[in-house]
Amino acid sequence: MSKPKSNNAKTISVALTLCLVCSVLVSAVAVGLKPAQLENARLDRNKNILVAADMYDAESDTQDDVAERFKDFDVEIIDLNKGNYVDDATLADAGIPDRNAYDATQATKNQALSDDLGNDDPAGIGRKPKYAKVYVKKDDAGQPEVVVLPIQGYGLWGTIYGFLTLESDMNTIKGISFYEHKETPGLGARIEEPEWRAKWTGIQSYDENGDVATGVTKAGNPKENWVDGISGATLTSRGVSNMIQFWLGEQGYKPYLDMLREESGQTIDEAETQASQSKSSAQPKTELAAKLPVANGKEA
């Protein structure tokens, strides 16, 4: 009795049917999960904004805390070249129908919404968006108390994304955070560590001439008002330095920050004096401590 011949066509048909069913199921799951993924991405972004503004405690704060605290911020869109806030009509004319959905990173892929930096590209981002989102927390008088600025630039292995926060003088750095990068764990990835990020607090962004006056030095080579680089991560440190200087410069947020200072009637000189006094008053009284009696290696 002969065995039935294998039916290759039937086998292929069953395999294709299974592939089709699986692809439909995967697509359905992906579509179903997309709203949750977008919400998680939004919460993570808001958390990092709060981290940069020194308004987040990783040990105790919940997602509800993040959502509640983020309500203190106004989300604005600015024209990077002019430094002014952009209204909905102007955005619509530029092809941005929804300001809430606007993504400056995605805008760099659109020639109409970005500028090619060519050889003038120290941060290594290729194209600069014409418009950027900024996050402003105002005081009771309606004046900016802190401003959080999105920043990005190329490190060692890829683009680093983060936020930089300035205090009300638009000169003193309050904090910094990095939320996406491809830097080497244990080396360049240390830019995420609180200890290194804390070094930026109190740094002055500009000198008396309005020029960018900070960055990251080579590890072990301290420089006043600059942040010491990470040992073994020279290219990452250089990338962060270039990023900071680019976004604080004329191609970045400087026109906007100049506008805020002008509106408040404040100059760079006044901002530096105010920040210097604030920083000085916060310094520990080391001379007095040195004169206290010592017992068993501890202060008595």
Side-chain angles (χ1 to χ4, degrees), residues 220-237:
N221 291 272
K223 182 179 178 181
E224 185 179 1
N225 201 59
W226 284 52
V227 172
D228 197 23
I230 298 171
S231 180
T234 301
L235 294 181
T236 300
S237 299

Side-chain angles (χ1 to χ4, degrees), residues 121-125 149-164 173 175-184 187-193 196-200 203 212-218 226-230 233-249:
D121 184 19
I125 59 176
L149 310 171
I151 55 176
Q152 66 183 79
Y154 203 85
L156 173 59
W157 302 113
T159 303
I160 300 170
Y161 297 89
F163 294 103
L164 179 71
I173 295 176
I176 195 170
S177 69
F178 300 100
Y179 63 91
E180 184 179 335
H181 62 80
K182 299 177 182 177
E183 302 310 287
T184 307
L187 293 173
R190 291 177 57 199
I191 58 175
E192 286 188 77
E193 294 180 357
W196 194 75
R197 291 190 293 102
K199 294 180 180 180
W200 289 93
I203 291 291
V212 179
T214 189
V216 183
T217 67
K218 186 177 180 181
W226 284 52
V227 172
D228 197 23
I230 298 171
T234 301
L235 294 181
T236 300
S237 299
R238 186 181 302 162
V240 172
S241 188
N242 291 339
M243 178 199 320
I244 295 294
Q245 293 178 346
F246 175 84
W247 288 107
L248 287 176

Side-chain angles (χ1 to χ4, degrees), residues 99-275:
R99 67 167 50 235
N100 294 319
Y102 175 70
D103 185 332
T105 300
Q106 292 299 317
T108 60
K109 302 175 183 178
N110 185 331
Q111 291 189 4
L113 295 176
S114 61
D115 296 317
D116 186 355
L117 293 172
N119 294 324
D120 192 12
D121 184 19
I125 59 176
R127 301 186 67 88
K128 183 189 79 170
K130 294 180 178 179
Y131 307 100
K133 272 185 179 178
V134 297
Y135 305 88
V136 185
K137 182 177 182 294
K138 297 180 180 179
D139 59 23
D140 293 338
Q143 295 299 313
E145 183 178 327
V146 294
V147 176
V148 184
L149 310 171
I151 55 176
Q152 66 183 79
Y154 203 85
L156 173 59
W157 302 113
T159 303
I160 300 170
Y161 297 89
F163 294 103
L164 179 71
T165 301
L166 297 182
E167 295 186 6
S168 59
D169 59 8
M170 302 306 140
N171 189 25
T172 305
I173 295 176
K174 184 177 181 65
I176 195 170
S177 69
F178 300 100
Y179 63 91
E180 184 179 335
H181 62 80
K182 299 177 182 177
E183 302 310 287
T184 307
L187 293 173
R190 291 177 57 199
I191 58 175
E192 286 188 77
E193 294 180 357
E195 293 79 10
W196 194 75
R197 291 190 293 102
K199 294 180 180 180
W200 289 93
T201 302
I203 291 291
Q204 301 301 291
S205 302
Y206 304 100
D207 61 20
E208 65 277 4
N209 298 316
D211 297 325
V212 179
T214 189
V216 183
T217 67
K218 186 177 180 181
N221 291 272
K223 182 179 178 181
E224 185 179 1
N225 201 59
W226 284 52
V227 172
D228 197 23
I230 298 171
S231 180
T234 301
L235 294 181
T236 300
S237 299
R238 186 181 302 162
V240 172
S241 188
N242 291 339
M243 178 199 320
I244 295 294
Q245 293 178 346
F246 175 84
W247 288 107
L248 287 176
E250 292 290 348
Q251 294 188 95
Y253 296 108
K254 189 173 186 297
Y256 169 62
L257 299 173
D258 287 343
M259 182 270 292
L260 291 181
R261 274 191 295 271
E262 184 178 351
E263 285 188 345
S264 66
Q266 188 170 224
T267 66
I268 286 288
D269 286 339
E270 291 170 336
E272 282 194 327
T273 301
Q274 176 183 336

Side-chain angles (χ1 to χ4, degrees), residues 12-22:
I12 294 174
S13 176
V14 170
L16 289 175
T17 301
L18 286 173
C19 289
L20 179 61
V21 171
C22 290

